[in-house]
Amino acid sequence: MKIAMTGSTGLVGTALSSTLSASGHDLVRLVRREPTGPEEAQWDIEAGTIDAEALEDIDAIIHLAGENIGQRWTDAVRKRVLDSRVNGTRLIAETAARLPRNPALLCASATGFYGNRANDEVDESSARGDGFLSDVVDQWEAAADPARAAGIRTVHLRQGIVLARQGGALQRLLLPFKLGVGGKVGSGKQWWSWVSLDDTVAAYLFALEHPLEGAVNVTAPGATTNLEFTKALGRALHRPTVLPLPAFAVKAAFGQMGREMLLEGQRVAPTKIVTAGFAFNQPDIDSGLASALAHSSGSSE
């Protein structure tokens, strides 16, 4: 297949583009700088421009780009997080709708859609929750409506916490845990729905090749509480996990981001992709961490 991709230098994009290239697919990387060769095409979210001519013969678009959400949410950051996702997705969707062929459109999304659900298990049939992340994901996915209206198969892969030592949440946790000062966050009772980087890549490949549409949860079936996650990481690193991070410290350091992303959570089930026949290679937290820690470091967002 010939596949266009945004966000190819991020955590998921780096791993996914490497796997796609190794599998014999041709990639066109959408970049914001001046392209350096025929395997790149330029796009500019702020200007609303994209090199549509370079995309005329593609079979699929994988859209991963978006402002890093793992930072304190000032008003300026909230605007960048929302605008980068909504405006970028709308530009991709409108461009896809005008192409002579109908490429599949696979868009990154997030389990933050479900908000804080305490102990309730949610899947793709569940309603959206409350909070900034819920608002962002709702608008992010709606921005792909122009592609849907044109009859394009559109998939929103709602990723959980992607486990990889080279980026994301796990990378930030490794140093304190290796030093023996890691522990649960807040009460530890909040659910953390996670997925290995390997299974994330495999899920995108599966979505390319199977007729999935709409929201698709990309989370391992073995969701854990933060306390369970903490104990598993301690086991994997052979370190104690006795120093908790109090909720007040999280709120003081990270504000709303800390509350929604660290102290709250969702118990997410990957119902749609499993029903379609996808099998997770790392279905439980011990295998997920083993897979993540076995990989050497590489590019990250």
Side-chain angles (χ1 to χ4, degrees):
M1 300 174 70
K2 187 171 183 179
I3 301 166
M5 181 185 294
T6 73
S8 63
T9 60
L11 176 63
V12 173
T14 297
L16 181 55
S17 59
S18 176
T19 299
L20 289 170
S21 296
S23 301
H25 300 292
D26 294 324
L27 286 183
V28 176
R29 302 169 190 267
L30 288 168
V31 297
R32 297 176 187 178
R33 52 174 171 74
E34 190 71 24
T36 59
E39 72 284 354
E40 294 183 344
Q42 193 171 38
W43 74 317
D44 187 327
I45 297 175
E46 288 74 21
T49 58
I50 192 168
D51 183 2
E53 186 176 340
L55 308 180
E56 287 186 351
D57 60 345
I58 61 168
D59 300 295
I61 302 173
I62 299 177
H63 176 43
L64 305 174
E67 173 77 12
N68 177 20
I69 206 161
Q71 54 184 313
R72 191 178 182 93
W73 295 344
T74 62
D75 289 343
V77 168
R78 275 191 285 265
K79 180 172 172 33
R80 291 199 302 271
V81 165
L82 181 63
D83 289 352
S84 66
R85 284 162 173 76
V86 172
N87 297 341
T89 301
R90 184 179 297 115
L91 176 58
I92 291 290
E94 290 175 347
T95 302
R98 293 193 299 267
L99 294 175
R101 299 171 61 179
N102 267 6
L105 176 57
L106 276 57
C107 298
S109 187
T111 56
F113 174 84
Y114 302 108
N116 183 30
R117 306 305 277 262
N119 288 319
D120 294 340
E121 187 174 73
V122 294
D123 68 5
E124 295 88 352
S125 65
S126 301
R128 60 158 288 183
D130 298 318
F132 174 65
L133 290 179
S134 297
D135 292 340
V136 168
V137 177
D138 193 35
Q139 295 180 60
W140 186 8
E141 295 183 355
D145 284 348
R148 269 185 286 273
I152 291 172
R153 181 172 73 89
T154 304
V155 189
H156 300 281
L157 293 105
R158 292 178 179 167
Q159 298 163 196
I161 300 169
V162 178
L163 299 186
R165 69 184 304 164
Q166 65 266 39
L170 182 59
Q171 182 189 48
R172 299 181 182 187
L173 291 172
L174 284 179
L175 180 58
F177 272 76
K178 285 180 177 179
L179 294 175
V181 294
K184 68 179 182 178
V185 179
S187 71
K189 296 178 181 179
Q190 68 274 28
W191 286 91
W192 279 18
S193 291
W194 58 272
V195 61
S196 71
L197 179 59
D198 287 345
D199 276 335
T200 303
V201 169
Y204 275 89
L205 297 177
F206 187 89
L208 275 176
E209 299 165 357
H210 293 77
L212 293 169
E213 290 193 61
V216 175
N217 293 334
V218 182
T219 56
T224 66
T225 64
N226 169 258
L227 178 60
E228 293 166 341
F229 183 98
T230 297
K231 290 181 177 179
L233 183 53
R235 287 194 302 271
L237 297 174
H238 308 290
R239 293 291 190 274
T241 56
V242 295
L243 294 176
L245 181 59
F248 74 84
V250 173
K251 293 174 183 176
F254 303 110
Q256 184 185 10
M257 186 277 283
R259 178 172 58 79
E260 288 197 26
M261 295 189 67
L262 300 177
L263 299 176
E264 299 177 355
Q266 313 85 25
R267 186 180 185 180
V268 181
T271 302
K272 189 180 287 187
I273 199 167
V274 170
T275 301
F278 182 78
F280 285 85
N281 287 316
Q282 289 86 39
D284 59 80
I285 189 58
D286 290 317
S287 63
L289 287 170
S291 172
L293 297 174
H295 287 287
S296 60
S297 61
S299 298
S300 62
E301 289 185 293

